[in-house]
Amino acid sequence: MNTQSNIVPKSSLDSQVIAPPAISITRLIYWSVRRELWENRSIYIAPLAAAAVFLFGFLISMVKLRYRMHAAWAFDPMQQHQLLAAPYEFAAALIMGTAFIVGIFYSLDALYGERRDRSILFWKSLPVSDITAVLSKITIPLLIVPLLSFAITLATQLVMLLLSAAVLLGSGANFMTLWTQASFFHVSLMLLYHLLTVHGLWYAPIYGWLLLVSAWAPRAPFIWAFLPPFVIVVVEKMAFNTSHFLTMLLHRMTGPEAGASMAPGSAPMDLMSAIVPGKFWSTPGLWIGLVLTAIFLAGAVRLRRYRGPI
């Protein structure tokens, strides 16, 4: 018997080993985003805490709500709108402001934190590229935080509306007046649009810059993030007696609707309605900001690839 025919070369066995299935980039980003949510619970805890504090104050104000509702019927429609819709607008502003602060501090610590606690050595051992890691981190302030803040704001305003309706039903007032004056559905749609455009796309270069600093800073990323803009503002003022860079920063921070015309006494949500889609998408500052964001993210990817633990 020829035993040589039963021997399979080792190279043939190696070639028959089944390679592990490739994981799509979408799935990698999905699990990377979930990891960020697991490790950074302040992303949703901080807006929830802000909503809880506001609801506590709103419950206290319910003691006087019945008297305010009776007095409101003597006001003109504009005054009724300001009286009834103001708490809902203030709740949205509080939660949005909290979410913006969360996005800033998350971006500052996103890449610096994993170098500080040396967990970057573990994450680099996984089959996740630096591009995927950075894209998952920028997704948090650009998409996840705005959507979470919208959901929390919507739930908060709905609870406020139900509590107010309970008081109105007990006082014999017209419940539909509160519903129409508060403009619940209209404000919710405008809020979602505002969060996705301004808090997402318009603020993108801010988050991109913070991620770049987070990937590079040897210590104290907060100082390294805000010191260069401060120096540029001071040098420009001393050398040319101008403040163009400061004006550009303020315009980026306040949003594209800050220059919109507002009538005296207008509400913050009325200002959000000034963001015309065609005008917003044709704003040069939007596209310049997105190009800068891409440059900052490319730098963050390269720095993450070569920067080691602190």
Side-chain angles (χ1 to χ4, degrees):
M1 180 182 292
N2 187 6
T3 58
Q4 297 292 331
S5 60
N6 296 328
I7 299 176
V8 181
K10 184 177 179 181
S11 58
S12 300
L13 289 175
D14 293 339
S15 63
Q16 294 177 7
V17 175
I18 300 176
I23 305 176
S24 65
I25 183 68
T26 304
R27 189 169 181 82
L28 287 174
I29 293 179
Y30 168 76
W31 283 107
S32 299
V33 169
R34 290 195 62 175
R35 173 176 75 88
E36 296 299 321
L37 294 175
W38 289 334
E39 294 186 346
N40 301 273
R41 297 183 180 181
S42 61
I43 293 173
Y44 52 87
I45 290 179
L48 284 173
V53 170
F54 182 85
L55 283 177
F56 178 74
F58 184 76
L59 285 174
I60 296 176
S61 69
M62 294 291 291
V63 177
K64 298 181 180 179
L65 181 61
R66 183 188 301 266
Y67 302 101
R68 292 204 303 267
M69 290 303 147
H70 281 298
W73 313 134
F75 297 157
D76 57 48
M78 179 61 67
Q79 291 174 322
Q80 289 183 16
H81 175 78
Q82 294 178 4
L83 176 63
L84 300 176
Y88 301 88
E89 295 161 354
F90 185 76
L94 177 64
I95 297 174
M96 284 192 299
T98 303
F100 180 55
I101 296 174
V102 167
I104 289 178
F105 282 94
Y106 165 81
S107 301
L108 274 175
D109 192 65
L111 294 171
Y112 174 80
E114 64 181 14
R115 291 190 296 122
R116 181 188 59 230
D117 59 19
R118 307 181 69 87
S119 63
I120 189 173
L121 299 176
F122 170 74
W123 297 118
K124 281 190 173 183
S125 67
L126 299 179
V128 178
S129 64
D130 297 296
I131 297 178
T132 302
V134 172
L135 287 179
S136 65
K137 293 180 184 297
I138 194 62
T139 301
I140 297 295
L142 292 190
L143 183 62
I144 303 301
V145 171
L147 290 178
L148 279 175
S149 60
F150 169 73
I152 294 172
T153 301
L154 194 65
T156 302
Q157 292 179 337
L158 183 59
V159 171
M160 294 168 58
L161 187 64
L162 294 176
L163 291 175
S164 302
V167 173
L168 282 180
L169 290 176
S171 64
N174 187 4
F175 165 72
M176 293 306 299
T177 301
L178 175 65
W179 188 274
T180 55
Q181 290 296 335
S183 304
F184 184 74
F185 291 114
H186 171 72
V187 170
S188 299
L189 291 176
M190 293 307 303
L191 176 65
L192 178 61
Y193 175 74
H194 174 83
L195 286 170
L196 292 178
T197 54
V198 177
H199 287 247
L201 298 177
W202 187 259
Y203 290 163
I206 299 176
Y207 299 130
W209 164 253
L210 296 178
L211 280 176
L212 177 64
V213 174
S214 180
W216 172 84
R219 291 289 188 277
F222 184 86
I223 296 178
W224 288 110
F226 294 96
L227 185 60
F230 176 77
V231 172
I232 294 175
V233 170
V234 173
V235 170
E236 180 191 359
K237 187 65 177 179
M238 294 179 62
F240 307 103
N241 196 27
T242 59
S243 56
H244 299 300
F245 188 75
L246 178 61
T247 303
M248 183 270 294
L249 289 180
L250 292 177
H251 180 60
R252 181 63 58 176
M253 294 289 293
T254 54
E257 76 276 15
S261 59
M262 277 186 68
S266 298
M269 290 301 171
D270 295 331
L271 179 60
M272 283 163 41
S273 64
I275 314 174
V276 181
K279 183 178 180 181
F280 176 80
W281 292 104
S282 61
T283 303
L286 170 66
W287 300 105
I288 294 174
L290 293 179
V291 171
L292 289 176
T293 303
I295 295 174
F296 293 151
L297 294 181
V301 170
R302 185 172 181 83
L303 285 171
R304 188 183 188 272
R305 184 174 301 160
Y306 297 107
R307 300 284 283 188
I310 298 175

mmCIF file of all heavy atoms in Angstrom, residues 108 111-113 115-116 210-225 303 307-310:
data_model
loop_
_atom_site.group_PDB
_atom_site.id
_atom_site.type_symbol
_atom_site.label_atom_id
_atom_site.label_comp_id
_atom_site.label_asym_id
_atom_site.label_seq_id
_atom_site.Cartn_x
_atom_site.Cartn_y
_atom_site.Cartn_z
ATOM 1 N N LEU A 108 -13.426 66.385 24.289
ATOM 2 C CA LEU A 108 -12.115 66.663 24.865
ATOM 3 C C LEU A 108 -11.489 65.421 25.484
ATOM 4 O O LEU A 108 -10.261 65.269 25.493
ATOM 5 C CB LEU A 108 -12.228 67.768 25.924
ATOM 6 C CG LEU A 108 -12.150 69.210 25.430
ATOM 7 C CD1 LEU A 108 -12.407 70.169 26.571
ATOM 8 C CD2 LEU A 108 -10.807 69.499 24.785
ATOM 9 N N LEU A 111 -10.428 60.844 23.083
ATOM 10 C CA LEU A 111 -9.173 60.203 22.694
ATOM 11 C C LEU A 111 -8.088 60.368 23.751
ATOM 12 O O LEU A 111 -7.194 59.529 23.858
ATOM 13 C CB LEU A 111 -8.689 60.781 21.356
ATOM 14 C CG LEU A 111 -9.601 60.468 20.164
ATOM 15 C CD1 LEU A 111 -9.173 61.263 18.937
ATOM 16 C CD2 LEU A 111 -9.605 58.985 19.851
ATOM 17 N N TYR A 112 -8.176 61.436 24.523
ATOM 18 C CA TYR A 112 -7.194 61.640 25.591
ATOM 19 C C TYR A 112 -7.404 60.642 26.728
ATOM 20 O O TYR A 112 -6.430 60.140 27.302
ATOM 21 C CB TYR A 112 -7.302 63.073 26.111
ATOM 22 C CG TYR A 112 -6.436 63.350 27.317
ATOM 23 C CD1 TYR A 112 -5.079 63.600 27.172
ATOM 24 C CD2 TYR A 112 -6.986 63.371 28.599
ATOM 25 C CE1 TYR A 112 -4.281 63.856 28.278
ATOM 26 C CE2 TYR A 112 -6.189 63.628 29.705
ATOM 27 C CZ TYR A 112 -4.840 63.872 29.541
ATOM 28 O OH TYR A 112 -4.050 64.115 30.637
ATOM 29 N N GLY A 113 -8.654 60.337 27.040
ATOM 30 C CA GLY A 113 -8.942 59.456 28.160
ATOM 31 C C GLY A 113 -8.402 58.052 27.954
ATOM 32 O O GLY A 113 -7.873 57.442 28.891
ATOM 33 N N ARG A 115 -5.829 57.242 26.238
ATOM 34 C CA ARG A 115 -4.369 57.273 26.378
ATOM 35 C C ARG A 115 -3.971 57.432 27.837
ATOM 36 O O ARG A 115 -2.946 56.894 28.275
ATOM 37 C CB ARG A 115 -3.789 58.427 25.554
ATOM 38 C CG ARG A 115 -3.899 58.233 24.059
ATOM 39 C CD ARG A 115 -3.106 59.277 23.298
ATOM 40 N NE ARG A 115 -3.620 60.617 23.502
ATOM 41 C CZ ARG A 115 -2.913 61.634 23.996
ATOM 42 N NH1 ARG A 115 -1.661 61.431 24.376
ATOM 43 N NH2 ARG A 115 -3.456 62.823 24.128
ATOM 44 N N ARG A 116 -4.787 58.156 28.594
ATOM 45 C CA ARG A 116 -4.467 58.379 30.005
ATOM 46 C C ARG A 116 -4.598 57.100 30.818
ATOM 47 O O ARG A 116 -3.726 56.794 31.648
ATOM 48 C CB ARG A 116 -5.393 59.461 30.573
ATOM 49 C CG ARG A 116 -5.152 59.813 32.026
ATOM 50 C CD ARG A 116 -6.231 60.736 32.534
ATOM 51 N NE ARG A 116 -7.540 60.118 32.409
ATOM 52 C CZ ARG A 116 -8.588 60.720 31.857
ATOM 53 N NH1 ARG A 116 -8.493 61.933 31.368
ATOM 54 N NH2 ARG A 116 -9.754 60.090 31.782
ATOM 55 N N LEU A 210 -11.848 69.704 18.940
ATOM 56 C CA LEU A 210 -11.673 69.143 20.275
ATOM 57 C C LEU A 210 -11.156 67.705 20.213
ATOM 58 O O LEU A 210 -10.332 67.297 21.038
ATOM 59 C CB LEU A 210 -12.990 69.203 21.040
ATOM 60 C CG LEU A 210 -13.532 70.614 21.338
ATOM 61 C CD1 LEU A 210 -14.863 70.531 22.054
ATOM 62 C CD2 LEU A 210 -12.536 71.425 22.156
ATOM 63 N N LEU A 211 -11.626 66.925 19.239
ATOM 64 C CA LEU A 211 -11.113 65.568 19.077
ATOM 65 C C LEU A 211 -9.647 65.570 18.653
ATOM 66 O O LEU A 211 -8.858 64.730 19.099
ATOM 67 C CB LEU A 211 -11.944 64.805 18.049
ATOM 68 C CG LEU A 211 -13.272 64.217 18.540
ATOM 69 C CD1 LEU A 211 -14.020 63.573 17.383
ATOM 70 C CD2 LEU A 211 -13.042 63.192 19.637
ATOM 71 N N LEU A 212 -9.274 66.519 17.791
ATOM 72 C CA LEU A 212 -7.876 66.627 17.371
ATOM 73 C C LEU A 212 -6.983 66.935 18.571
ATOM 74 O O LEU A 212 -5.914 66.320 18.751
ATOM 75 C CB LEU A 212 -7.744 67.719 16.310
ATOM 76 C CG LEU A 212 -6.321 68.015 15.810
ATOM 77 C CD1 LEU A 212 -5.748 66.795 15.102
ATOM 78 C CD2 LEU A 212 -6.318 69.230 14.894
ATOM 79 N N VAL A 213 -7.406 67.885 19.402
ATOM 80 C CA VAL A 213 -6.638 68.220 20.596
ATOM 81 C C VAL A 213 -6.610 67.043 21.558
ATOM 82 O O VAL A 213 -5.582 66.749 22.184
ATOM 83 C CB VAL A 213 -7.229 69.470 21.280
ATOM 84 C CG1 VAL A 213 -6.542 69.751 22.604
ATOM 85 C CG2 VAL A 213 -7.106 70.679 20.359
ATOM 86 N N SER A 214 -7.734 66.339 21.682
ATOM 87 C CA SER A 214 -7.799 65.179 22.573
ATOM 88 C C SER A 214 -6.827 64.091 22.150
ATOM 89 O O SER A 214 -6.264 63.384 22.992
ATOM 90 C CB SER A 214 -9.224 64.624 22.601
ATOM 91 O OG SER A 214 -9.329 63.505 23.445
ATOM 92 N N ALA A 215 -6.604 63.950 20.844
ATOM 93 C CA ALA A 215 -5.678 62.936 20.351
ATOM 94 C C ALA A 215 -4.222 63.354 20.515
ATOM 95 O O ALA A 215 -3.339 62.497 20.561
ATOM 96 C CB ALA A 215 -5.962 62.637 18.883
ATOM 97 N N TRP A 216 -3.952 64.669 20.613
ATOM 98 C CA TRP A 216 -2.578 65.151 20.652
ATOM 99 C C TRP A 216 -2.095 65.548 22.044
ATOM 100 O O TRP A 216 -0.932 65.307 22.398
ATOM 101 C CB TRP A 216 -2.440 66.369 19.731
ATOM 102 C CG TRP A 216 -1.102 67.043 19.875
ATOM 103 C CD1 TRP A 216 0.067 66.694 19.250
ATOM 104 C CD2 TRP A 216 -0.784 68.153 20.725
ATOM 105 N NE1 TRP A 216 1.093 67.525 19.651
ATOM 106 C CE2 TRP A 216 0.595 68.432 20.555
ATOM 107 C CE3 TRP A 216 -1.535 68.935 21.597
ATOM 108 C CZ2 TRP A 216 1.229 69.461 21.239
ATOM 109 C CZ3 TRP A 216 -0.903 69.965 22.278
ATOM 110 C CH2 TRP A 216 0.462 70.225 22.106
ATOM 111 N N ALA A 217 -2.962 66.142 22.850
ATOM 112 C CA ALA A 217 -2.539 66.794 24.096
ATOM 113 C C ALA A 217 -1.790 65.847 25.018
ATOM 114 O O ALA A 217 -2.283 64.765 25.343
ATOM 115 C CB ALA A 217 -3.756 67.368 24.818
ATOM 116 N N PRO A 218 -0.596 66.234 25.471
ATOM 117 C CA PRO A 218 0.122 65.412 26.438
ATOM 118 C C PRO A 218 -0.462 65.524 27.846
ATOM 119 O O PRO A 218 -0.389 64.593 28.634
ATOM 120 C CB PRO A 218 1.545 65.989 26.388
ATOM 121 C CG PRO A 218 1.365 67.395 25.932
ATOM 122 C CD PRO A 218 0.186 67.398 25.025
ATOM 123 N N ARG A 219 -1.040 66.676 28.160
ATOM 124 C CA ARG A 219 -1.674 66.922 29.450
ATOM 125 C C ARG A 219 -2.724 68.016 29.254
ATOM 126 O O ARG A 219 -2.659 68.800 28.321
ATOM 127 C CB ARG A 219 -0.661 67.403 30.510
ATOM 128 C CG ARG A 219 0.338 66.374 30.975
ATOM 129 C CD ARG A 219 -0.310 65.300 31.838
ATOM 130 N NE ARG A 219 0.701 64.414 32.446
ATOM 131 C CZ ARG A 219 1.252 63.387 31.845
ATOM 132 N NH1 ARG A 219 0.913 63.099 30.590
ATOM 133 N NH2 ARG A 219 2.138 62.617 32.460
ATOM 134 N N ALA A 220 -3.684 68.074 30.141
ATOM 135 C CA ALA A 220 -4.666 69.173 30.205
ATOM 136 C C ALA A 220 -5.227 69.542 28.832
ATOM 137 O O ALA A 220 -4.943 70.625 28.301
ATOM 138 C CB ALA A 220 -4.038 70.396 30.865
ATOM 139 N N PRO A 221 -6.006 68.680 28.189
ATOM 140 C CA PRO A 221 -6.539 68.997 26.854
ATOM 141 C C PRO A 221 -7.434 70.235 26.844
ATOM 142 O O PRO A 221 -7.530 70.914 25.818
ATOM 143 C CB PRO A 221 -7.327 67.739 26.482
ATOM 144 C CG PRO A 221 -7.623 67.059 27.772
ATOM 145 C CD PRO A 221 -6.461 67.364 28.670
ATOM 146 N N PHE A 222 -8.082 70.540 27.969
ATOM 147 C CA PHE A 222 -8.946 71.723 28.017
ATOM 148 C C PHE A 222 -8.136 72.984 27.739
ATOM 149 O O PHE A 222 -8.570 73.861 26.972
ATOM 150 C CB PHE A 222 -9.627 71.815 29.385
ATOM 151 C CG PHE A 222 -10.603 72.949 29.509
ATOM 152 C CD1 PHE A 222 -11.925 72.796 29.107
ATOM 153 C CD2 PHE A 222 -10.197 74.166 30.007
ATOM 154 C CE1 PHE A 222 -12.823 73.846 29.220
ATOM 155 C CE2 PHE A 222 -11.094 75.218 30.121
ATOM 156 C CZ PHE A 222 -12.406 75.061 29.726
ATOM 157 N N ILE A 223 -6.947 73.087 28.337
ATOM 158 C CA ILE A 223 -6.102 74.271 28.133
ATOM 159 C C ILE A 223 -5.615 74.336 26.693
ATOM 160 O O ILE A 223 -5.653 75.395 26.048
ATOM 161 C CB ILE A 223 -4.923 74.250 29.115
ATOM 162 C CG1 ILE A 223 -5.433 74.348 30.553
ATOM 163 C CG2 ILE A 223 -3.939 75.384 28.810
ATOM 164 C CD1 ILE A 223 -4.345 74.281 31.597
ATOM 165 N N TRP A 224 -5.160 73.198 26.152
ATOM 166 C CA TRP A 224 -4.646 73.180 24.783
ATOM 167 C C TRP A 224 -5.745 73.456 23.758
ATOM 168 O O TRP A 224 -5.462 73.940 22.651
ATOM 169 C CB TRP A 224 -3.993 71.844 24.494
ATOM 170 C CG TRP A 224 -2.685 71.661 25.196
ATOM 171 C CD1 TRP A 224 -2.417 70.814 26.241
ATOM 172 C CD2 TRP A 224 -1.469 72.335 24.913
ATOM 173 N NE1 TRP A 224 -1.107 70.924 26.627
ATOM 174 C CE2 TRP A 224 -0.492 71.859 25.826
ATOM 175 C CE3 TRP A 224 -1.096 73.317 23.981
ATOM 176 C CZ2 TRP A 224 0.819 72.321 25.827
ATOM 177 C CZ3 TRP A 224 0.213 73.765 23.986
ATOM 178 C CH2 TRP A 224 1.158 73.273 24.898
ATOM 179 N N ALA A 225 -6.987 73.165 24.094
ATOM 180 C CA ALA A 225 -8.088 73.405 23.153
ATOM 181 C C ALA A 225 -8.455 74.880 23.075
ATOM 182 O O ALA A 225 -8.781 75.394 21.995
ATOM 183 C CB ALA A 225 -9.305 72.579 23.560
ATOM 184 N N LEU A 303 -2.992 60.948 14.483
ATOM 185 C CA LEU A 303 -2.407 61.045 15.819
ATOM 186 C C LEU A 303 -2.733 59.808 16.651
ATOM 187 O O LEU A 303 -1.884 59.312 17.405
ATOM 188 C CB LEU A 303 -2.931 62.301 16.519
ATOM 189 C CG LEU A 303 -2.333 63.629 16.026
ATOM 190 C CD1 LEU A 303 -3.089 64.801 16.642
ATOM 191 C CD2 LEU A 303 -0.855 63.719 16.361
ATOM 192 N N ARG A 307 0.251 58.001 18.410
ATOM 193 C CA ARG A 307 0.402 58.434 19.803
ATOM 194 C C ARG A 307 0.159 57.266 20.729
ATOM 195 O O ARG A 307 -0.833 56.540 20.607
ATOM 196 C CB ARG A 307 -0.566 59.571 20.137
ATOM 197 C CG ARG A 307 -0.389 60.818 19.295
ATOM 198 C CD ARG A 307 0.813 61.621 19.708
ATOM 199 N NE ARG A 307 0.566 62.375 20.925
ATOM 200 C CZ ARG A 307 1.395 63.266 21.426
ATOM 201 N NH1 ARG A 307 2.547 63.493 20.802
ATOM 202 N NH2 ARG A 307 1.109 63.920 22.538
ATOM 203 N N GLY A 308 1.058 57.086 21.689
ATOM 204 C CA GLY A 308 0.924 56.002 22.640
ATOM 205 C C GLY A 308 0.304 56.467 23.939
ATOM 206 O O GLY A 308 -0.135 57.616 24.077
ATOM 207 N N PRO A 309 0.267 55.603 24.930
ATOM 208 C CA PRO A 309 -0.278 55.979 26.239
ATOM 209 C C PRO A 309 0.529 57.094 26.882
ATOM 210 O O PRO A 309 1.719 57.267 26.611
ATOM 211 C CB PRO A 309 -0.191 54.679 27.046
ATOM 212 C CG PRO A 309 -0.067 53.593 26.026
ATOM 213 C CD PRO A 309 0.648 54.191 24.870
ATOM 214 N N ILE A 310 -0.099 57.835 27.755
ATOM 215 C CA ILE A 310 0.577 58.930 28.453
ATOM 216 C C ILE A 310 1.383 58.362 29.624
ATOM 217 O O ILE A 310 0.836 57.602 30.415
ATOM 218 C CB ILE A 310 -0.451 59.953 28.958
ATOM 219 C CG1 ILE A 310 -1.192 60.558 27.771
ATOM 220 C CG2 ILE A 310 0.225 61.049 29.755
ATOM 221 C CD1 ILE A 310 -2.303 61.495 28.163
#
